[in-house]
Amino acid sequence: MHDRYGLSGKTAVVTGATAGIGGAVAHGLSAAGAHVVAVGRDRQRGEALCDRISAEGGSVEFVSADVGEQSGLDDVLDVARARPVDILVNNAGTAILGPTEALTPTDFDKMIATNIRGAFFLVAGIAPGMAERGSGSIVNVSSMAGAVGTPGAAVYGATKSALESLTRSWAAEYSVRGVRINSVAPGPTYTAAAPRDWFDTVGLTTAMQRAAEPTEIGEMILFLSSERASYVTGSTFPVDGGRTAI
């Protein structure tokens, strides 16, 4: 399906892989020949994902872990130490939306832990090995909320802006040793996070006046994961139907 990306023999770790964008990325990387380590909190959905990918002839394993928790990070890094990781997709994210005055400290900490801390320590644990081997690609999944002020999404948007800042800093730190680090910032994308009609409504605010399917975001992530993007690093790519352009 995606053999043009040439990922045969590569190992890819994808967090938040059991549904939505992460699921599309896991399928796409597997179809391109990579062995996929699919990370997610829901074991039932994770095992179902692995069954589907295996039925398609792909190579996959599931790690039941919450990267917002230290124990979950440790579980993922234990698997990563067992074999060289060529691709890391930091897709796991938590969005707790509502008025600023209604956000609790627990809500705040949960978004920071998953959206920033989890990605940070996965990069800290995996990027040095990539740098030692002289190659690797890391793709961080941000959001248009990192660039567009959105009522009720102050902390969520701040975490995504921070992730984009980390992307630039990591590129400056690791790209001289062959590791490319980029971000993808999706616009409204049909996932289980909200009813489909909610995404339909938000999609009307984009230049294309529609929401995206997860595979449309996944294609950009696949490109950045592959050597087809060999001179691309330190950038954030909006995949938002033109929302941040208008």
Side-chain angles (χ1 to χ4, degrees):
M1 193 190 325
H2 298 289
D3 58 355
R4 65 188 182 279
Y5 294 117
L7 299 179
S8 180
K10 304 290 187 182
T11 294
V13 173
V14 182
T15 66
T18 58
I21 293 170
V25 171
H27 276 278
L29 289 168
S30 173
H35 172 73
V36 176
V37 179
V39 180
R41 293 176 296 181
D42 190 313
R43 179 174 293 279
Q44 185 174 358
R45 290 196 310 191
E47 291 175 350
L49 172 79
C50 290
D51 288 344
R52 290 193 299 272
I53 290 177
S54 297
E56 296 165 1
S59 177
V60 63
E61 63 183 287
F62 176 63
V63 178
S64 178
D66 180 351
V67 298
E69 302 286 343
Q70 187 60 47
S71 59
L73 285 171
D74 291 341
D75 289 344
V76 177
L77 291 173
D78 283 346
V79 173
R81 293 185 191 102
R83 60 193 302 165
V85 174
D86 305 289
I87 298 162
L88 169 62
V89 179
N90 281 313
N91 172 69
T94 295
I96 302 172
L97 308 180
T100 293
E101 63 270 22
L103 198 75
T104 68
T106 299
D107 295 336
F108 183 98
D109 291 346
K110 184 173 181 61
M111 283 189 277
I112 296 294
T114 303
N115 301 359
I116 302 176
R117 186 179 185 275
F120 183 91
F121 285 105
L122 286 179
V123 170
I126 291 173
M130 292 178 171
E132 186 176 337
R133 294 187 298 276
S135 67
S137 176
I138 296 171
V139 183
N140 300 310
V141 180
S142 179
S143 168
M144 73 177 190
V148 177
T150 306
V155 176
Y156 177 71
T159 64
K160 294 305 186 177
S161 293
L163 191 58
E164 293 173 12
S165 177
L166 286 169
T167 294
R168 295 188 291 272
S169 294
W170 285 328
E173 184 173 356
Y174 292 109
S175 291
V176 69
R177 290 179 283 169
V179 186
R180 296 180 298 102
I181 298 104
N182 293 286
S183 294
V184 169
T189 305
Y190 294 116
T191 68
R196 191 174 180 89
D197 59 357
W198 185 88
F199 290 111
D200 289 337
T201 300
V202 179
L204 292 175
T205 68
T206 72
M208 297 182 74
Q209 297 196 332
R210 68 173 179 86
E213 296 293 341
T215 52
E216 294 181 288
I217 313 302
E219 284 290 342
M220 177 59 85
I221 295 171
L222 285 169
F223 169 72
L224 293 172
S225 298
S226 76
E227 284 304 308
R228 294 175 69 90
S230 58
Y231 197 56
V232 182
T233 196
S235 297
T236 294
F237 294 87
V239 188
D240 59 11
R243 176 61 182 86
T244 51
I246 61 174

Short mmCIF file of all heavy atoms in Angstrom, two decimals, residues 212-244:
data_model
loop_
_atom_site.label_atom_id
_atom_site.label_comp_id
_atom_site.label_asym_id
_atom_site.label_seq_id
_atom_site.Cartn_x
_atom_site.Cartn_y
_atom_site.Cartn_z
N ALA A 212 -10.59 16.19 8.17
CA ALA A 212 -9.72 15.21 7.54
C ALA A 212 -10.03 13.80 8.02
O ALA A 212 -10.51 13.61 9.14
CB ALA A 212 -8.26 15.53 7.83
N GLU A 213 -9.72 12.85 7.19
CA GLU A 213 -9.69 11.46 7.61
C GLU A 213 -8.31 11.19 8.23
O GLU A 213 -7.31 11.79 7.81
CB GLU A 213 -9.93 10.52 6.44
CG GLU A 213 -11.30 10.64 5.81
CD GLU A 213 -12.43 10.20 6.73
OE1 GLU A 213 -12.15 9.47 7.70
OE2 GLU A 213 -13.59 10.60 6.48
N PRO A 214 -8.21 10.28 9.21
CA PRO A 214 -6.91 10.00 9.82
C PRO A 214 -5.83 9.62 8.82
O PRO A 214 -4.66 9.98 9.00
CB PRO A 214 -7.23 8.84 10.77
CG PRO A 214 -8.66 9.05 11.15
CD PRO A 214 -9.31 9.57 9.89
N THR A 215 -6.19 8.92 7.75
CA THR A 215 -5.18 8.52 6.76
C THR A 215 -4.55 9.73 6.06
O THR A 215 -3.39 9.65 5.63
CB THR A 215 -5.79 7.59 5.70
OG1 THR A 215 -6.97 8.20 5.16
CG2 THR A 215 -6.15 6.24 6.30
N GLU A 216 -5.28 10.84 5.97
CA GLU A 216 -4.72 12.02 5.33
C GLU A 216 -3.61 12.63 6.18
O GLU A 216 -2.63 13.17 5.65
CB GLU A 216 -5.83 13.05 5.06
CG GLU A 216 -6.85 12.57 4.04
CD GLU A 216 -7.93 13.59 3.76
OE1 GLU A 216 -8.79 13.80 4.65
OE2 GLU A 216 -7.91 14.18 2.66
N ILE A 217 -3.76 12.57 7.48
CA ILE A 217 -2.68 13.02 8.38
C ILE A 217 -1.55 11.99 8.36
O ILE A 217 -0.37 12.33 8.34
CB ILE A 217 -3.19 13.20 9.82
CG1 ILE A 217 -4.51 13.98 9.84
CG2 ILE A 217 -2.13 13.86 10.68
CD1 ILE A 217 -4.45 15.35 9.22
N GLY A 218 -1.94 10.72 8.33
CA GLY A 218 -0.96 9.65 8.33
C GLY A 218 0.00 9.71 7.15
O GLY A 218 1.18 9.38 7.28
N GLU A 219 -0.48 10.14 5.98
CA GLU A 219 0.39 10.22 4.81
C GLU A 219 1.55 11.17 5.03
O GLU A 219 2.68 10.89 4.63
CB GLU A 219 -0.41 10.64 3.57
CG GLU A 219 -1.27 9.54 2.99
CD GLU A 219 -0.46 8.43 2.33
OE1 GLU A 219 0.73 8.64 2.01
OE2 GLU A 219 -1.02 7.33 2.14
N MET A 220 1.30 12.31 5.66
CA MET A 220 2.40 13.24 5.94
C MET A 220 3.38 12.64 6.94
O MET A 220 4.60 12.79 6.81
CB MET A 220 1.84 14.56 6.47
CG MET A 220 2.93 15.57 6.87
SD MET A 220 4.02 16.02 5.51
CE MET A 220 3.05 17.32 4.75
N ILE A 221 2.86 11.94 7.93
CA ILE A 221 3.74 11.32 8.92
C ILE A 221 4.59 10.23 8.27
O ILE A 221 5.79 10.11 8.56
CB ILE A 221 2.91 10.77 10.10
CG1 ILE A 221 2.24 11.93 10.84
CG2 ILE A 221 3.78 9.94 11.06
CD1 ILE A 221 1.22 11.51 11.88
N LEU A 222 3.99 9.45 7.38
CA LEU A 222 4.75 8.43 6.66
C LEU A 222 5.86 9.05 5.84
O LEU A 222 7.00 8.56 5.82
CB LEU A 222 3.81 7.62 5.76
CG LEU A 222 2.91 6.61 6.45
CD1 LEU A 222 1.87 6.08 5.47
CD2 LEU A 222 3.71 5.46 7.03
N PHE A 223 5.55 10.12 5.13
CA PHE A 223 6.55 10.81 4.32
C PHE A 223 7.72 11.27 5.19
O PHE A 223 8.90 11.02 4.87
CB PHE A 223 5.92 12.00 3.60
CG PHE A 223 6.91 12.92 2.96
CD1 PHE A 223 7.62 12.53 1.82
CD2 PHE A 223 7.15 14.19 3.48
CE1 PHE A 223 8.54 13.38 1.23
CE2 PHE A 223 8.07 15.04 2.90
CZ PHE A 223 8.77 14.64 1.77
N LEU A 224 7.42 11.93 6.31
CA LEU A 224 8.48 12.44 7.18
C LEU A 224 9.26 11.32 7.84
O LEU A 224 10.45 11.49 8.17
CB LEU A 224 7.87 13.35 8.24
CG LEU A 224 7.28 14.66 7.72
CD1 LEU A 224 6.54 15.39 8.84
CD2 LEU A 224 8.36 15.56 7.13
N SER A 225 8.64 10.17 8.01
CA SER A 225 9.32 9.01 8.61
C SER A 225 10.32 8.39 7.65
O SER A 225 11.25 7.70 8.07
CB SER A 225 8.30 7.95 9.02
OG SER A 225 7.42 8.44 10.00
N SER A 226 10.13 8.61 6.37
CA SER A 226 10.91 7.91 5.35
C SER A 226 12.07 8.75 4.83
O SER A 226 12.15 9.96 5.08
CB SER A 226 10.00 7.55 4.17
OG SER A 226 9.73 8.71 3.37
N GLU A 227 12.94 8.11 4.08
CA GLU A 227 14.07 8.81 3.48
C GLU A 227 13.66 9.72 2.34
O GLU A 227 14.49 10.47 1.81
CB GLU A 227 15.12 7.79 3.02
CG GLU A 227 15.93 7.20 4.15
CD GLU A 227 16.63 8.28 4.98
OE1 GLU A 227 17.32 9.14 4.40
OE2 GLU A 227 16.46 8.28 6.22
N ARG A 228 12.41 9.66 1.94
CA ARG A 228 11.92 10.61 0.95
C ARG A 228 11.95 12.04 1.50
O ARG A 228 11.95 13.00 0.74
CB ARG A 228 10.50 10.25 0.50
CG ARG A 228 10.43 8.93 -0.26
CD ARG A 228 9.00 8.54 -0.58
NE ARG A 228 8.40 9.44 -1.56
CZ ARG A 228 8.46 9.25 -2.88
NH1 ARG A 228 9.08 8.20 -3.39
NH2 ARG A 228 7.87 10.11 -3.71
N ALA A 229 12.01 12.16 2.82
CA ALA A 229 12.12 13.46 3.48
C ALA A 229 13.52 13.64 4.05
O ALA A 229 13.70 14.21 5.13
CB ALA A 229 11.07 13.58 4.59
N SER A 230 14.53 13.21 3.32
CA SER A 230 15.90 13.13 3.84
C SER A 230 16.53 14.48 4.18
O SER A 230 17.51 14.52 4.93
CB SER A 230 16.79 12.39 2.84
OG SER A 230 16.78 13.06 1.58
N TYR A 231 15.99 15.59 3.66
CA TYR A 231 16.57 16.90 3.95
C TYR A 231 15.58 17.77 4.73
O TYR A 231 15.64 18.99 4.71
CB TYR A 231 16.98 17.60 2.65
CG TYR A 231 17.95 18.75 2.83
CD1 TYR A 231 19.16 18.58 3.48
CD2 TYR A 231 17.63 20.02 2.34
CE1 TYR A 231 20.04 19.63 3.65
CE2 TYR A 231 18.51 21.09 2.50
CZ TYR A 231 19.71 20.89 3.16
OH TYR A 231 20.59 21.95 3.32
N VAL A 232 14.69 17.12 5.45
CA VAL A 232 13.65 17.84 6.19
C VAL A 232 13.84 17.60 7.68
O VAL A 232 13.75 16.46 8.15
CB VAL A 232 12.24 17.37 5.76
CG1 VAL A 232 11.18 18.16 6.51
CG2 VAL A 232 12.05 17.52 4.25
N THR A 233 14.08 18.66 8.42
CA THR A 233 14.18 18.53 9.87
C THR A 233 13.90 19.87 10.54
O THR A 233 14.07 20.94 9.94
CB THR A 233 15.57 18.02 10.30
OG1 THR A 233 15.52 17.56 11.66
CG2 THR A 233 16.65 19.08 10.17
N GLY A 234 13.41 19.81 11.77
CA GLY A 234 13.17 21.00 12.57
C GLY A 234 11.95 21.81 12.18
O GLY A 234 11.79 22.94 12.61
N SER A 235 11.06 21.21 11.41
CA SER A 235 9.91 21.95 10.89
C SER A 235 8.59 21.42 11.44
O SER A 235 8.50 20.25 11.82
CB SER A 235 9.87 21.87 9.35
OG SER A 235 11.01 22.49 8.79
N THR A 236 7.60 22.28 11.44
CA THR A 236 6.22 21.88 11.76
C THR A 236 5.37 22.05 10.51
O THR A 236 5.37 23.12 9.90
CB THR A 236 5.65 22.73 12.90
OG1 THR A 236 6.38 22.47 14.10
CG2 THR A 236 4.18 22.39 13.14
N PHE A 237 4.67 20.98 10.14
CA PHE A 237 3.88 20.97 8.93
C PHE A 237 2.39 20.99 9.26
O PHE A 237 1.86 20.01 9.79
CB PHE A 237 4.22 19.74 8.09
CG PHE A 237 5.62 19.74 7.56
CD1 PHE A 237 6.66 19.24 8.34
CD2 PHE A 237 5.92 20.28 6.32
CE1 PHE A 237 7.97 19.26 7.88
CE2 PHE A 237 7.22 20.31 5.85
CZ PHE A 237 8.25 19.81 6.63
N PRO A 238 1.70 22.11 8.98
CA PRO A 238 0.25 22.11 9.18
C PRO A 238 -0.41 21.19 8.15
O PRO A 238 -0.13 21.26 6.96
CB PRO A 238 -0.13 23.58 8.91
CG PRO A 238 1.14 24.35 8.96
CD PRO A 238 2.21 23.41 8.51
N VAL A 239 -1.26 20.30 8.65
CA VAL A 239 -2.08 19.46 7.76
C VAL A 239 -3.52 19.72 8.23
O VAL A 239 -4.14 18.90 8.90
CB VAL A 239 -1.69 17.98 7.86
CG1 VAL A 239 -2.42 17.16 6.79
CG2 VAL A 239 -0.18 17.79 7.70
N ASP A 240 -3.99 20.91 7.89
CA ASP A 240 -5.21 21.40 8.53
C ASP A 240 -6.20 21.98 7.53
O ASP A 240 -7.06 22.79 7.90
CB ASP A 240 -4.86 22.46 9.58
CG ASP A 240 -4.11 23.67 9.01
OD1 ASP A 240 -4.04 23.79 7.76
OD2 ASP A 240 -3.60 24.49 9.79
N GLY A 241 -6.10 21.56 6.28
CA GLY A 241 -7.06 22.04 5.29
C GLY A 241 -7.01 23.54 5.09
O GLY A 241 -7.97 24.15 4.61
N GLY A 242 -5.87 24.16 5.43
CA GLY A 242 -5.71 25.60 5.25
C GLY A 242 -6.20 26.45 6.42
O GLY A 242 -6.24 27.67 6.30
N ARG A 243 -6.53 25.81 7.55
CA ARG A 243 -7.10 26.57 8.67
C ARG A 243 -6.15 27.65 9.18
O ARG A 243 -6.59 28.78 9.46
CB ARG A 243 -7.47 25.63 9.81
CG ARG A 243 -8.00 26.34 11.06
CD ARG A 243 -9.27 27.14 10.77
NE ARG A 243 -9.74 27.86 11.93
CZ ARG A 243 -9.32 29.06 12.30
NH1 ARG A 243 -8.38 29.68 11.59
NH2 ARG A 243 -9.82 29.65 13.38
N THR A 244 -4.87 27.36 9.29
CA THR A 244 -3.93 28.36 9.81
C THR A 244 -3.48 29.35 8.75
O THR A 244 -2.72 30.28 9.04
CB THR A 244 -2.70 27.69 10.44
OG1 THR A 244 -2.14 26.75 9.51
CG2 THR A 244 -3.08 26.96 11.72
#
